[in-house]
Amino acid sequence: MNQLIYDFLHVTESAALASLPWIGTGNKIEADRAATNSMRILLNKISMDGVVVIGEGEIDEAPMLFIGERIGTGTGLKIDLAVDPIDGTTSTSKGKNDAITVIAAAPKGKLLHAPDMYMEKIATGPKAAGKIDIDAPIEDNLYAVAKATGKQINELTVVIQDRERHQQWIDTIRGLGAKTYLFEEGDVIPAIATCIDSLNIDLFLGIGGAPEGVLAAVGIKSLGGDMQARLLPKTDEEYERCKSMGIVEPNQSLKHEQLIGTDNCAFVATGITSNMLLKGIRCDQKKFITHSMVINGLDKSLRCTETVHSALLSETIV
């Protein structure tokens, strides 16, 4: 995987830059199309035998980067990829924070193959790894994380998306005395934030997209944290689609190793607009500066990289 990480970085940087003209235009469809086109073209230049297992949708719904699409040159490592050209299309179109472009990868067969549907998720950092349980009440998880981190309940911070479907959880968390950090869109970075000590985020909870859940699971795995999830099929068709993708019991809880089954994995993301971990694209005269994060599962490292892009210069600053 180390051989491919910086190829993936080039892909996410380029996809983010491709979306730049569409930031704040109100047109999320064209923003996503531009990022997707860029990502697909560059992925197909990489020496790998890749398959998209988490993508833009089913083949009849997304003409590019669909689930099951083969990418790369067809030679080299057999890789499963989870991709999101823009996690936060609405934020991009409105010129708001929390939009990124992201890739996660692992050897063939090691990433959950999941359809594009809702997923319930819970995540925490390395200190409380192994202590959370998606099947337990929120109260139990808060007390377990508090004990593992050596904190009082009123010292905990839970990051959760500001949505009506989460209001009961938010009320319960606050009722117990813990704090909430509410965000608007894009739950990949907030979930990974539980693994960054300086951010002081103890727990992530939420119901969001399954693709974003698998992407976050790779980043969290690579940093020693813990994540569990449960797919939430709404219809018989969604339930059967899960089964057709190898998920025998679609409503069962999924442990971290079922989401990502190896430490030999990689997570790469580039900021389009700013979030709690990444700066958005900046313009300095005629040069554009991107800010990215590269997480290597084998050495449990997170590297942040700024790259200056122009017609004549591509200079990386670590």
Side-chain angles (χ1 to χ4, degrees), residues 13-318:
E13 288 176 340
S14 298
L17 289 169
S19 73
L20 181 60
W22 301 101
I23 295 176
T25 64
N27 196 332
K28 66 179 183 180
I29 294 174
E30 289 304 321
D32 191 51
R33 189 194 309 275
T36 301
N37 284 342
S38 173
M39 182 173 279
R40 186 174 192 264
I41 289 168
L42 291 178
L43 282 172
N44 277 321
K45 293 181 179 180
I46 298 175
S47 295
M48 64 179 175
D49 184 2
V51 177
V52 175
V53 299
I54 297 291
E56 290 279 88
E58 307 300 320
I59 187 170
D60 57 344
E61 298 172 357
M64 291 168 290
L65 292 173
F66 56 84
I67 295 172
E69 181 174 358
R70 303 196 72 87
I71 52 175
T73 62
T75 60
L77 293 173
K78 293 184 181 297
I79 298 292
D80 283 350
L81 285 104
V83 301
D84 198 343
I86 301 182
D87 177 30
T89 52
T90 299
S91 293
T92 302
S93 68
K94 292 183 177 181
K96 289 181 148 185
N97 286 340
D98 299 326
I100 62 171
T101 181
V102 57
I103 294 173
K108 181 178 175 62
K110 297 299 184 180
L111 276 181
L112 177 73
H113 294 211
D116 189 359
M117 63 176 57
Y118 273 121
M119 172 185 272
E120 183 181 348
K121 315 165 195 178
I122 184 171
T124 191
K127 291 179 181 178
K131 305 300 182 183
I132 56 174
D133 182 358
I134 197 169
D135 294 319
I138 294 175
E139 295 91 335
D140 291 359
N141 280 296
L142 285 171
Y143 283 113
V145 171
K147 182 177 180 180
T149 57
K151 294 182 177 182
Q152 300 297 316
I153 291 290
N154 62 6
E155 296 176 301
L156 295 180
T157 299
V158 181
V159 63
I160 188 167
Q161 193 173 21
D162 190 5
R163 292 290 187 271
E164 185 176 348
R165 62 181 178 268
H166 296 149
Q167 192 58 53
Q168 186 173 352
W169 288 351
I170 293 169
D171 292 343
T172 298
I173 293 163
R174 290 174 173 170
L176 289 169
K179 302 176 180 65
T180 56
Y181 183 123
L182 303 183
F183 65 94
E184 284 298 319
E185 190 179 6
D187 64 7
V188 175
I189 293 296
I192 292 173
T194 58
C195 298
I196 311 298
D197 281 346
S198 61
L199 296 178
N200 198 32
I201 301 293
D202 302 290
L203 189 67
F204 165 86
L205 289 171
I207 295 173
E212 291 80 7
V214 176
L215 284 160
V218 176
I220 293 166
K221 174 80 167 178
S222 299
L223 293 175
D226 190 13
M227 180 172 175
Q228 296 178 15
R230 179 185 291 107
L231 289 166
L232 301 173
K234 292 182 177 179
T235 64
D236 289 343
E237 181 185 358
E238 287 189 345
Y239 190 91
E240 290 304 318
R241 199 183 328 156
C242 290
K243 294 182 71 173
S244 72
M245 297 177 76
I247 303 169
V248 179
E249 298 181 27
N251 294 124
Q252 73 176 356
S253 56
L254 299 167
K255 303 300 184 183
H256 206 171
E257 59 270 19
Q258 294 172 278
L259 300 170
I260 166 67
T262 179
D263 287 328
N264 184 23
C265 54
F267 175 96
V268 181
T270 298
I272 298 172
T273 59
S274 296
N275 56 60
M276 61 176 67
L277 286 173
L278 294 171
K279 301 172 187 174
I281 301 168
R282 291 163 287 154
C283 182
D284 181 9
Q285 297 179 352
K286 293 184 178 181
K287 300 168 186 173
F288 297 101
I289 304 170
T290 56
H291 188 215
S292 305
M293 59 191 294
V294 176
I295 308 178
N296 183 327
L298 286 178
D299 62 16
K300 297 290 185 285
S301 65
L302 183 155
R303 296 175 176 86
C304 289
T305 300
E306 285 196 346
T307 305
V308 179
H309 307 263
S310 74
L312 300 176
L313 175 67
S314 180
E315 175 182 68
T316 301
I317 308 166
V318 180

